[in-house]
Amino acid sequence: MKRVCDWCGIGIVTTRADARFCSSKHRIYAHRAAKRSPIPQRLTSRDRWVRWRYELRNGKPTKAPITADGRRATSTNPDTWTTFAAASASTLGEGLGFTLGDGIGCIDVDHCVSDGVIDPRALELARTPNAFYVEYSPSGEGIHIWHDADEQPGTRRTENGLSVERYSAGRYITVTGRPIGL
Ligand SMILES: [Zn+2]
């Protein structure tokens, strides 16, 4: 397996099996980026990051996962995922994404933000006891509720009048870094 710096993507020459950076400078940059980010360590510490771009599927724009260096990524192939540092350092596509699993799930609530006001029913969902981070979706019209979850089949249904999708595996979810304080 090719070893590259998590920060700059340049190949590393090292004898250490766990080396992740080309230099201490880039290790420090990566740690600073994670510290600056509102995204919790629960997510930034896991090597389950991708980026995403819009692709047309059946004529409709969909958010497709890509690797930090622009190849197609899938939520089932860990070889296409990377660290938070590497995904953050990349400028490809529209932004970051995180692959669910390993105890991390997400509730995706569409169209629950209107004129900057979050639907109280969505806020109620966000107060689920195992939630640890809530943020706006890329459109700003939905919210993503990140929570601890055992892997189970995803659901997509109307709950209390809201469009709610719940996933805990086999999916990636966009991450904007625009948190919602509760
Ligand atoms: Zn580097």
Side-chain angles (χ1 to χ4, degrees), residues 5 8 22 26:
C5 173
C8 67
C22 67
H26 283 182

Side-chain angles (χ1 to χ4, degrees), residues 6-7 33-34 36-40 43-44 46 48-54 63-69 73 81-99 106 133 135-138 144 146 172-178:
D6 268 5
W7 184 252
R36 260 197 321 269
S37 170
I39 302 165
L43 299 176
T44 61
R46 286 174 159 89
R48 305 180 71 89
W49 290 88
V50 294
R51 294 189 65 84
W52 64 273
R53 70 178 169 217
Y54 285 111
K63 299 184 184 85
I66 57 173
T67 64
D69 56 2
W81 314 339
T82 187
T83 59
F84 177 72
S88 300
S90 170
T91 55
L92 298 175
E94 305 290 326
L96 294 165
F98 184 92
T99 308
C106 190
Y133 177 59
E135 66 163 31
Y136 290 100
S137 67
H144 292 164
W146 292 87
Y172 97 98
I173 301 284
T174 58
V175 178
T176 60
R178 300 201 304 268

